[in-house]
Amino acid sequence: MKVCCRCDNRFNSLNWLCPSCNYQPKAIDSYLVFAPALAEKSDGYDDDLFSQLFDLEAKNFWFHSRNQLILWSLQKFSLKLKVC
C-alpha cells in the first residue's frame, strides 16, 4: 500500500502516481525522492567516512549480532551460504 504525499490517499499500484490527485514524487537520477528539498541540498556521503564506519562496525556488538542474524535467516529461509 502506498500513501500519497500530497493528499494522503491510500492506494495500491505498481507506480507512485496517485489516482486521486495525480501527484507523483519527483525523480532524481531515476530514483523517486520523497523529500526533494533535502535531496537537492545534500552532497551525499563523504567517501572518507566509510572506512571509519567499517572499522567501528567491526568492533560493535550490535552490528556483529545483526550480521549473524541476517546470515542465519538467509541460510534458514532462502540462500545456502557458508558462514565464516
Side-chain angles (χ1 to χ4, degrees), residues 39-80:
E40 290 169 351
K41 75 175 187 177
S42 174
D43 292 333
Y45 291 102
D46 181 358
D47 292 341
D48 295 333
L49 295 178
F50 284 110
S51 62
Q52 292 177 25
L53 285 173
F54 178 80
D55 293 338
L56 290 171
E57 288 178 11
K59 300 171 191 169
N60 184 283
F61 77 94
W62 188 89
F63 286 101
H64 176 75
S65 299
R66 181 203 63 173
N67 292 343
Q68 293 300 314
L69 183 60
I70 290 170
L71 289 173
W72 173 83
S73 63
L74 287 172
Q75 285 180 323
K76 179 142 178 90
F77 298 109
S78 62
L79 304 175
K80 299 296 182 194

mmCIF file of all heavy atoms in Angstrom, residues 39-80:
data_model
loop_
_atom_site.group_PDB
_atom_site.id
_atom_site.type_symbol
_atom_site.label_atom_id
_atom_site.label_comp_id
_atom_site.label_asym_id
_atom_site.label_seq_id
_atom_site.Cartn_x
_atom_site.Cartn_y
_atom_site.Cartn_z
ATOM 1 N N ALA A 39 17.070 16.283 -0.536
ATOM 2 C CA ALA A 39 17.894 15.580 -1.520
ATOM 3 C C ALA A 39 18.698 16.550 -2.373
ATOM 4 O O ALA A 39 19.855 16.283 -2.698
ATOM 5 C CB ALA A 39 17.022 14.708 -2.409
ATOM 6 N N GLU A 40 18.121 17.673 -2.725
ATOM 7 C CA GLU A 40 18.804 18.628 -3.602
ATOM 8 C C GLU A 40 19.904 19.395 -2.888
ATOM 9 O O GLU A 40 20.883 19.795 -3.503
ATOM 10 C CB GLU A 40 17.783 19.574 -4.220
ATOM 11 C CG GLU A 40 16.890 18.876 -5.230
ATOM 12 C CD GLU A 40 15.707 19.710 -5.667
ATOM 13 O OE1 GLU A 40 15.458 20.778 -5.063
ATOM 14 O OE2 GLU A 40 15.020 19.281 -6.599
ATOM 15 N N LYS A 41 19.768 19.606 -1.573
ATOM 16 C CA LYS A 41 20.801 20.372 -0.877
ATOM 17 C C LYS A 41 21.904 19.485 -0.303
ATOM 18 O O LYS A 41 22.924 19.961 0.129
ATOM 19 C CB LYS A 41 20.198 21.240 0.226
ATOM 20 C CG LYS A 41 19.766 20.513 1.464
ATOM 21 C CD LYS A 41 19.295 21.498 2.521
ATOM 22 C CE LYS A 41 19.030 20.779 3.825
ATOM 23 N NZ LYS A 41 18.651 21.673 4.887
ATOM 24 N N SER A 42 21.690 18.177 -0.330
ATOM 25 C CA SER A 42 22.671 17.246 0.227
ATOM 26 C C SER A 42 23.738 16.919 -0.807
ATOM 27 O O SER A 42 23.457 16.686 -1.973
ATOM 28 C CB SER A 42 21.976 15.960 0.663
ATOM 29 O OG SER A 42 22.934 15.015 1.059
ATOM 30 N N ASP A 43 24.987 16.887 -0.349
ATOM 31 C CA ASP A 43 26.090 16.493 -1.224
ATOM 32 C C ASP A 43 26.364 14.996 -1.129
ATOM 33 O O ASP A 43 27.308 14.498 -1.715
ATOM 34 C CB ASP A 43 27.364 17.259 -0.841
ATOM 35 C CG ASP A 43 27.256 18.746 -1.134
ATOM 36 O OD1 ASP A 43 26.492 19.113 -2.050
ATOM 37 O OD2 ASP A 43 27.930 19.536 -0.455
ATOM 38 N N GLY A 44 25.590 14.285 -0.332
ATOM 39 C CA GLY A 44 25.787 12.855 -0.165
ATOM 40 C C GLY A 44 26.743 12.570 0.968
ATOM 41 O O GLY A 44 26.980 13.406 1.842
ATOM 42 N N TYR A 45 27.303 11.391 0.940
ATOM 43 C CA TYR A 45 28.213 10.966 1.997
ATOM 44 C C TYR A 45 29.656 11.316 1.640
ATOM 45 O O TYR A 45 30.048 11.288 0.478
ATOM 46 C CB TYR A 45 28.118 9.450 2.199
ATOM 47 C CG TYR A 45 26.815 9.006 2.784
ATOM 48 C CD1 TYR A 45 25.826 8.447 1.998
ATOM 49 C CD2 TYR A 45 26.566 9.145 4.136
ATOM 50 C CE1 TYR A 45 24.626 8.027 2.542
ATOM 51 C CE2 TYR A 45 25.371 8.729 4.697
ATOM 52 C CZ TYR A 45 24.415 8.175 3.893
ATOM 53 O OH TYR A 45 23.233 7.765 4.436
ATOM 54 N N ASP A 46 30.436 11.591 2.652
ATOM 55 C CA ASP A 46 31.859 11.795 2.481
ATOM 56 C C ASP A 46 32.506 10.421 2.360
ATOM 57 O O ASP A 46 32.431 9.600 3.281
ATOM 58 C CB ASP A 46 32.422 12.556 3.688
ATOM 59 C CG ASP A 46 33.895 12.845 3.584
ATOM 60 O OD1 ASP A 46 34.530 12.429 2.592
ATOM 61 O OD2 ASP A 46 34.430 13.495 4.502
ATOM 62 N N ASP A 47 33.131 10.129 1.228
ATOM 63 C CA ASP A 47 33.709 8.813 0.981
ATOM 64 C C ASP A 47 34.746 8.417 2.026
ATOM 65 O O ASP A 47 34.924 7.232 2.319
ATOM 66 C CB ASP A 47 34.341 8.750 -0.411
ATOM 67 C CG ASP A 47 33.317 8.826 -1.523
ATOM 68 O OD1 ASP A 47 32.126 8.563 -1.256
ATOM 69 O OD2 ASP A 47 33.708 9.141 -2.653
ATOM 70 N N ASP A 48 35.415 9.382 2.609
ATOM 71 C CA ASP A 48 36.443 9.081 3.611
ATOM 72 C C ASP A 48 35.849 8.494 4.891
ATOM 73 O O ASP A 48 36.543 7.811 5.652
ATOM 74 C CB ASP A 48 37.240 10.337 3.956
ATOM 75 C CG ASP A 48 38.033 10.863 2.767
ATOM 76 O OD1 ASP A 48 38.393 10.042 1.888
ATOM 77 O OD2 ASP A 48 38.293 12.077 2.722
ATOM 78 N N LEU A 49 34.584 8.737 5.140
ATOM 79 C CA LEU A 49 33.959 8.236 6.360
ATOM 80 C C LEU A 49 33.621 6.751 6.298
ATOM 81 O O LEU A 49 33.461 6.111 7.336
ATOM 82 C CB LEU A 49 32.696 9.039 6.669
ATOM 83 C CG LEU A 49 32.916 10.512 7.000
ATOM 84 C CD1 LEU A 49 31.584 11.202 7.235
ATOM 85 C CD2 LEU A 49 33.816 10.663 8.213
ATOM 86 N N PHE A 50 33.542 6.174 5.110
ATOM 87 C CA PHE A 50 33.167 4.772 5.001
ATOM 88 C C PHE A 50 34.194 3.851 5.655
ATOM 89 O O PHE A 50 33.841 2.866 6.288
ATOM 90 C CB PHE A 50 32.938 4.368 3.544
ATOM 91 C CG PHE A 50 31.625 4.853 3.003
ATOM 92 C CD1 PHE A 50 31.590 5.853 2.055
ATOM 93 C CD2 PHE A 50 30.423 4.324 3.450
ATOM 94 C CE1 PHE A 50 30.377 6.311 1.563
ATOM 95 C CE2 PHE A 50 29.206 4.772 2.961
ATOM 96 C CZ PHE A 50 29.196 5.763 2.019
ATOM 97 N N SER A 51 35.483 4.159 5.511
ATOM 98 C CA SER A 51 36.494 3.307 6.144
ATOM 99 C C SER A 51 36.405 3.420 7.665
ATOM 100 O O SER A 51 36.583 2.429 8.383
ATOM 101 C CB SER A 51 37.894 3.663 5.655
ATOM 102 O OG SER A 51 38.218 4.992 5.994
ATOM 103 N N GLN A 52 36.107 4.604 8.179
ATOM 104 C CA GLN A 52 35.933 4.772 9.628
ATOM 105 C C GLN A 52 34.713 3.991 10.115
ATOM 106 O O GLN A 52 34.767 3.325 11.155
ATOM 107 C CB GLN A 52 35.778 6.246 9.982
ATOM 108 C CG GLN A 52 37.017 7.072 9.783
ATOM 109 C CD GLN A 52 36.761 8.542 10.084
ATOM 110 O OE1 GLN A 52 35.876 8.889 10.840
ATOM 111 N NE2 GLN A 52 37.546 9.407 9.459
ATOM 112 N N LEU A 53 33.626 4.065 9.369
ATOM 113 C CA LEU A 53 32.421 3.323 9.741
ATOM 114 C C LEU A 53 32.674 1.823 9.707
ATOM 115 O O LEU A 53 32.211 1.087 10.579
ATOM 116 C CB LEU A 53 31.267 3.682 8.804
ATOM 117 C CG LEU A 53 30.616 5.032 9.020
ATOM 118 C CD1 LEU A 53 29.605 5.306 7.911
ATOM 119 C CD2 LEU A 53 29.959 5.109 10.372
ATOM 120 N N PHE A 54 33.415 1.366 8.711
ATOM 121 C CA PHE A 54 33.725 -0.056 8.607
ATOM 122 C C PHE A 54 34.476 -0.530 9.852
ATOM 123 O O PHE A 54 34.158 -1.570 10.430
ATOM 124 C CB PHE A 54 34.549 -0.322 7.345
ATOM 125 C CG PHE A 54 34.943 -1.753 7.179
ATOM 126 C CD1 PHE A 54 34.039 -2.679 6.675
ATOM 127 C CD2 PHE A 54 36.212 -2.184 7.528
ATOM 128 C CE1 PHE A 54 34.393 -4.018 6.519
ATOM 129 C CE2 PHE A 54 36.580 -3.509 7.383
ATOM 130 C CZ PHE A 54 35.672 -4.425 6.872
ATOM 131 N N ASP A 55 35.474 0.243 10.275
ATOM 132 C CA ASP A 55 36.250 -0.115 11.468
ATOM 133 C C ASP A 55 35.386 -0.111 12.728
ATOM 134 O O ASP A 55 35.493 -1.002 13.574
ATOM 135 C CB ASP A 55 37.437 0.840 11.643
ATOM 136 C CG ASP A 55 38.473 0.677 10.542
ATOM 137 O OD1 ASP A 55 38.507 -0.399 9.907
ATOM 138 O OD2 ASP A 55 39.245 1.629 10.321
ATOM 139 N N LEU A 56 34.534 0.892 12.859
ATOM 140 C CA LEU A 56 33.668 0.977 14.039
ATOM 141 C C LEU A 56 32.651 -0.160 14.074
ATOM 142 O O LEU A 56 32.397 -0.751 15.122
ATOM 143 C CB LEU A 56 32.947 2.325 14.072
ATOM 144 C CG LEU A 56 33.814 3.548 14.354
ATOM 145 C CD1 LEU A 56 33.018 4.823 14.127
ATOM 146 C CD2 LEU A 56 34.358 3.492 15.766
ATOM 147 N N GLU A 57 32.065 -0.470 12.931
ATOM 148 C CA GLU A 57 31.062 -1.531 12.874
ATOM 149 C C GLU A 57 31.676 -2.893 13.194
ATOM 150 O O GLU A 57 31.028 -3.740 13.801
ATOM 151 C CB GLU A 57 30.395 -1.559 11.505
ATOM 152 C CG GLU A 57 29.455 -0.397 11.277
ATOM 153 C CD GLU A 57 28.818 -0.403 9.904
ATOM 154 O OE1 GLU A 57 28.933 -1.424 9.175
ATOM 155 O OE2 GLU A 57 28.179 0.596 9.552
ATOM 156 N N ALA A 58 32.920 -3.106 12.792
ATOM 157 C CA ALA A 58 33.576 -4.393 13.038
ATOM 158 C C ALA A 58 33.736 -4.665 14.532
ATOM 159 O O ALA A 58 33.758 -5.823 14.959
ATOM 160 C CB ALA A 58 34.933 -4.426 12.351
ATOM 161 N N LYS A 59 33.816 -3.621 15.344
ATOM 162 C CA LYS A 59 34.022 -3.770 16.786
ATOM 163 C C LYS A 59 32.724 -3.644 17.593
ATOM 164 O O LYS A 59 32.735 -3.825 18.802
ATOM 165 C CB LYS A 59 35.000 -2.700 17.282
ATOM 166 C CG LYS A 59 36.359 -2.776 16.623
ATOM 167 C CD LYS A 59 37.197 -1.580 16.994
ATOM 168 C CE LYS A 59 38.436 -1.511 16.130
ATOM 169 N NZ LYS A 59 39.135 -0.263 16.277
ATOM 170 N N ASN A 60 31.627 -3.332 16.930
ATOM 171 C CA ASN A 60 30.388 -3.044 17.636
ATOM 172 C C ASN A 60 29.521 -4.298 17.764
ATOM 173 O O ASN A 60 29.262 -4.991 16.783
ATOM 174 C CB ASN A 60 29.630 -1.954 16.875
ATOM 175 C CG ASN A 60 28.384 -1.513 17.583
ATOM 176 O OD1 ASN A 60 27.382 -2.213 17.548
ATOM 177 N ND2 ASN A 60 28.438 -0.355 18.208
ATOM 178 N N PHE A 61 29.056 -4.599 18.986
ATOM 179 C CA PHE A 61 28.259 -5.800 19.234
ATOM 180 C C PHE A 61 26.959 -5.813 18.438
ATOM 181 O O PHE A 61 26.502 -6.864 17.979
ATOM 182 C CB PHE A 61 27.951 -5.937 20.736
ATOM 183 C CG PHE A 61 26.858 -5.019 21.214
ATOM 184 C CD1 PHE A 61 25.553 -5.460 21.281
ATOM 185 C CD2 PHE A 61 27.140 -3.708 21.583
ATOM 186 C CE1 PHE A 61 24.534 -4.618 21.724
ATOM 187 C CE2 PHE A 61 26.135 -2.867 22.020
ATOM 188 C CZ PHE A 61 24.834 -3.318 22.090
ATOM 189 N N TRP A 62 26.348 -4.642 18.259
ATOM 190 C CA TRP A 62 25.057 -4.596 17.584
ATOM 191 C C TRP A 62 25.203 -5.020 16.126
ATOM 192 O O TRP A 62 24.412 -5.826 15.620
ATOM 193 C CB TRP A 62 24.466 -3.187 17.676
ATOM 194 C CG TRP A 62 23.065 -3.111 17.162
ATOM 195 C CD1 TRP A 62 21.921 -3.309 17.871
ATOM 196 C CD2 TRP A 62 22.652 -2.849 15.810
ATOM 197 N NE1 TRP A 62 20.830 -3.182 17.055
ATOM 198 C CE2 TRP A 62 21.248 -2.895 15.779
ATOM 199 C CE3 TRP A 62 23.323 -2.588 14.641
ATOM 200 C CZ2 TRP A 62 20.517 -2.691 14.634
ATOM 201 C CZ3 TRP A 62 22.592 -2.380 13.478
ATOM 202 C CH2 TRP A 62 21.195 -2.433 13.491
ATOM 203 N N PHE A 63 26.216 -4.489 15.434
ATOM 204 C CA PHE A 63 26.416 -4.841 14.027
ATOM 205 C C PHE A 63 26.816 -6.303 13.882
ATOM 206 O O PHE A 63 26.381 -6.988 12.958
ATOM 207 C CB PHE A 63 27.455 -3.924 13.378
ATOM 208 C CG PHE A 63 26.934 -2.556 13.103
ATOM 209 C CD1 PHE A 63 27.239 -1.501 13.939
ATOM 210 C CD2 PHE A 63 26.102 -2.316 12.018
ATOM 211 C CE1 PHE A 63 26.741 -0.233 13.696
ATOM 212 C CE2 PHE A 63 25.597 -1.052 11.766
ATOM 213 C CZ PHE A 63 25.921 -0.010 12.612
ATOM 214 N N HIS A 64 27.638 -6.788 14.795
ATOM 215 C CA HIS A 64 28.032 -8.203 14.745
ATOM 216 C C HIS A 64 26.798 -9.092 14.901
ATOM 217 O O HIS A 64 26.598 -10.027 14.106
ATOM 218 C CB HIS A 64 29.057 -8.508 15.847
ATOM 219 C CG HIS A 64 29.422 -9.950 15.912
ATOM 220 N ND1 HIS A 64 30.247 -10.543 14.982
ATOM 221 C CD2 HIS A 64 29.045 -10.925 16.764
ATOM 222 C CE1 HIS A 64 30.371 -11.819 15.279
ATOM 223 N NE2 HIS A 64 29.652 -12.073 16.358
ATOM 224 N N SER A 65 25.969 -8.820 15.879
ATOM 225 C CA SER A 65 24.756 -9.614 16.107
ATOM 226 C C SER A 65 23.791 -9.502 14.939
ATOM 227 O O SER A 65 23.195 -10.500 14.505
ATOM 228 C CB SER A 65 24.070 -9.170 17.400
ATOM 229 O OG SER A 65 24.930 -9.370 18.484
ATOM 230 N N ARG A 66 23.629 -8.300 14.422
ATOM 231 C CA ARG A 66 22.732 -8.095 13.278
ATOM 232 C C ARG A 66 23.208 -8.897 12.077
ATOM 233 O O ARG A 66 22.422 -9.574 11.404
ATOM 234 C CB ARG A 66 22.664 -6.614 12.918
ATOM 235 C CG ARG A 66 21.725 -6.350 11.744
ATOM 236 C CD ARG A 66 22.030 -5.085 11.016
ATOM 237 N NE ARG A 66 23.352 -5.143 10.419
ATOM 238 C CZ ARG A 66 23.842 -4.220 9.607
ATOM 239 N NH1 ARG A 66 23.128 -3.160 9.331
ATOM 240 N NH2 ARG A 66 25.039 -4.321 9.099
ATOM 241 N N ASN A 67 24.513 -8.863 11.804
ATOM 242 C CA ASN A 67 25.043 -9.590 10.654
ATOM 243 C C ASN A 67 24.871 -11.094 10.817
ATOM 244 O O ASN A 67 24.559 -11.796 9.851
ATOM 245 C CB ASN A 67 26.515 -9.229 10.442
ATOM 246 C CG ASN A 67 26.683 -7.792 10.008
ATOM 247 O OD1 ASN A 67 25.741 -7.149 9.563
ATOM 248 N ND2 ASN A 67 27.882 -7.268 10.147
ATOM 249 N N GLN A 68 25.066 -11.593 12.036
ATOM 250 C CA GLN A 68 24.866 -13.013 12.293
ATOM 251 C C GLN A 68 23.396 -13.400 12.083
ATOM 252 O O GLN A 68 23.097 -14.452 11.522
ATOM 253 C CB GLN A 68 25.319 -13.373 13.714
ATOM 254 C CG GLN A 68 26.807 -13.247 13.923
ATOM 255 C CD GLN A 68 27.591 -14.149 12.983
ATOM 256 O OE1 GLN A 68 27.269 -15.316 12.811
ATOM 257 N NE2 GLN A 68 28.622 -13.600 12.370
ATOM 258 N N LEU A 69 22.496 -12.551 12.512
ATOM 259 C CA LEU A 69 21.067 -12.801 12.326
ATOM 260 C C LEU A 69 20.687 -12.797 10.842
ATOM 261 O O LEU A 69 19.911 -13.638 10.383
ATOM 262 C CB LEU A 69 20.241 -11.767 13.092
ATOM 263 C CG LEU A 69 18.730 -11.936 13.049
ATOM 264 C CD1 LEU A 69 18.318 -13.276 13.640
ATOM 265 C CD2 LEU A 69 18.059 -10.798 13.797
ATOM 266 N N ILE A 70 21.247 -11.877 10.095
ATOM 267 C CA ILE A 70 20.979 -11.820 8.652
ATOM 268 C C ILE A 70 21.474 -13.092 7.979
ATOM 269 O O ILE A 70 20.760 -13.707 7.175
ATOM 270 C CB ILE A 70 21.615 -10.563 8.019
ATOM 271 C CG1 ILE A 70 20.884 -9.305 8.481
ATOM 272 C CG2 ILE A 70 21.609 -10.657 6.495
ATOM 273 C CD1 ILE A 70 21.584 -8.012 8.112
ATOM 274 N N LEU A 71 22.690 -13.511 8.291
ATOM 275 C CA LEU A 71 23.227 -14.734 7.697
ATOM 276 C C LEU A 71 22.398 -15.953 8.085
ATOM 277 O O LEU A 71 22.102 -16.806 7.250
ATOM 278 C CB LEU A 71 24.685 -14.922 8.121
ATOM 279 C CG LEU A 71 25.681 -13.945 7.499
ATOM 280 C CD1 LEU A 71 27.055 -14.125 8.119
ATOM 281 C CD2 LEU A 71 25.732 -14.123 5.995
ATOM 282 N N TRP A 72 22.012 -16.029 9.347
ATOM 283 C CA TRP A 72 21.192 -17.144 9.816
ATOM 284 C C TRP A 72 19.875 -17.205 9.041
ATOM 285 O O TRP A 72 19.461 -18.269 8.585
ATOM 286 C CB TRP A 72 20.929 -17.015 11.316
ATOM 287 C CG TRP A 72 19.950 -18.035 11.813
ATOM 288 C CD1 TRP A 72 20.217 -19.327 12.169
ATOM 289 C CD2 TRP A 72 18.538 -17.848 11.966
ATOM 290 N NE1 TRP A 72 19.058 -19.957 12.551
ATOM 291 C CE2 TRP A 72 18.008 -19.074 12.425
ATOM 292 C CE3 TRP A 72 17.683 -16.774 11.762
ATOM 293 C CZ2 TRP A 72 16.663 -19.244 12.680
ATOM 294 C CZ3 TRP A 72 16.342 -16.952 12.014
ATOM 295 C CH2 TRP A 72 15.837 -18.162 12.463
ATOM 296 N N SER A 73 19.223 -16.056 8.905
ATOM 297 C CA SER A 73 17.916 -16.050 8.240
ATOM 298 C C SER A 73 18.047 -16.380 6.753
ATOM 299 O O SER A 73 17.190 -17.065 6.190
ATOM 300 C CB SER A 73 17.197 -14.726 8.455
ATOM 301 O OG SER A 73 17.917 -13.664 7.885
ATOM 302 N N LEU A 74 19.123 -15.908 6.122
ATOM 303 C CA LEU A 74 19.324 -16.255 4.711
ATOM 304 C C LEU A 74 19.557 -17.752 4.547
ATOM 305 O O LEU A 74 19.022 -18.373 3.621
ATOM 306 C CB LEU A 74 20.503 -15.468 4.136
ATOM 307 C CG LEU A 74 20.254 -13.989 3.892
ATOM 308 C CD1 LEU A 74 21.551 -13.290 3.507
ATOM 309 C CD2 LEU A 74 19.206 -13.787 2.810
ATOM 310 N N GLN A 75 20.335 -18.324 5.445
ATOM 311 C CA GLN A 75 20.577 -19.761 5.377
ATOM 312 C C GLN A 75 19.299 -20.553 5.634
ATOM 313 O O GLN A 75 19.006 -21.521 4.942
ATOM 314 C CB GLN A 75 21.630 -20.174 6.405
ATOM 315 C CG GLN A 75 23.021 -19.785 6.014
ATOM 316 C CD GLN A 75 24.029 -20.219 7.053
ATOM 317 O OE1 GLN A 75 23.750 -20.179 8.245
ATOM 318 N NE2 GLN A 75 25.197 -20.624 6.602
ATOM 319 N N LYS A 76 18.565 -20.140 6.611
ATOM 320 C CA LYS A 76 17.367 -20.884 7.002
ATOM 321 C C LYS A 76 16.242 -20.775 5.981
ATOM 322 O O LYS A 76 15.559 -21.758 5.696
ATOM 323 C CB LYS A 76 16.876 -20.394 8.361
ATOM 324 C CG LYS A 76 15.620 -21.085 8.835
ATOM 325 C CD LYS A 76 15.645 -21.325 10.299
ATOM 326 C CE LYS A 76 14.378 -21.973 10.781
ATOM 327 N NZ LYS A 76 14.420 -23.406 10.752
ATOM 328 N N PHE A 77 16.031 -19.583 5.435
ATOM 329 C CA PHE A 77 14.836 -19.345 4.637
ATOM 330 C C PHE A 77 15.047 -19.237 3.132
ATOM 331 O O PHE A 77 14.101 -19.248 2.384
ATOM 332 C CB PHE A 77 14.117 -18.100 5.142
ATOM 333 C CG PHE A 77 13.655 -18.249 6.556
ATOM 334 C CD1 PHE A 77 14.273 -17.547 7.567
ATOM 335 C CD2 PHE A 77 12.632 -19.118 6.874
ATOM 336 C CE1 PHE A 77 13.852 -17.679 8.882
ATOM 337 C CE2 PHE A 77 12.203 -19.268 8.178
ATOM 338 C CZ PHE A 77 12.824 -18.549 9.183
ATOM 339 N N SER A 78 16.277 -19.084 2.681
ATOM 340 C CA SER A 78 16.409 -18.977 1.219
ATOM 341 C C SER A 78 17.754 -19.478 0.724
ATOM 342 O O SER A 78 17.857 -20.569 0.200
ATOM 343 C CB SER A 78 16.165 -17.544 0.751
ATOM 344 O OG SER A 78 17.119 -16.669 1.307
ATOM 345 N N LEU A 79 18.784 -18.682 0.894
ATOM 346 C CA LEU A 79 20.061 -18.995 0.286
ATOM 347 C C LEU A 79 20.886 -19.917 1.161
ATOM 348 O O LEU A 79 20.827 -19.872 2.377
ATOM 349 C CB LEU A 79 20.846 -17.700 0.045
ATOM 350 C CG LEU A 79 20.148 -16.649 -0.797
ATOM 351 C CD1 LEU A 79 20.975 -15.385 -0.850
ATOM 352 C CD2 LEU A 79 19.915 -17.168 -2.203
ATOM 353 N N LYS A 80 21.674 -20.748 0.546
ATOM 354 C CA LYS A 80 22.583 -21.622 1.284
ATOM 355 C C LYS A 80 23.968 -20.977 1.257
ATOM 356 O O LYS A 80 24.725 -21.149 0.304
ATOM 357 C CB LYS A 80 22.633 -23.014 0.667
ATOM 358 C CG LYS A 80 21.290 -23.707 0.675
ATOM 359 C CD LYS A 80 20.827 -23.956 2.095
ATOM 360 C CE LYS A 80 19.508 -24.680 2.114
ATOM 361 N NZ LYS A 80 18.862 -24.681 3.388
#
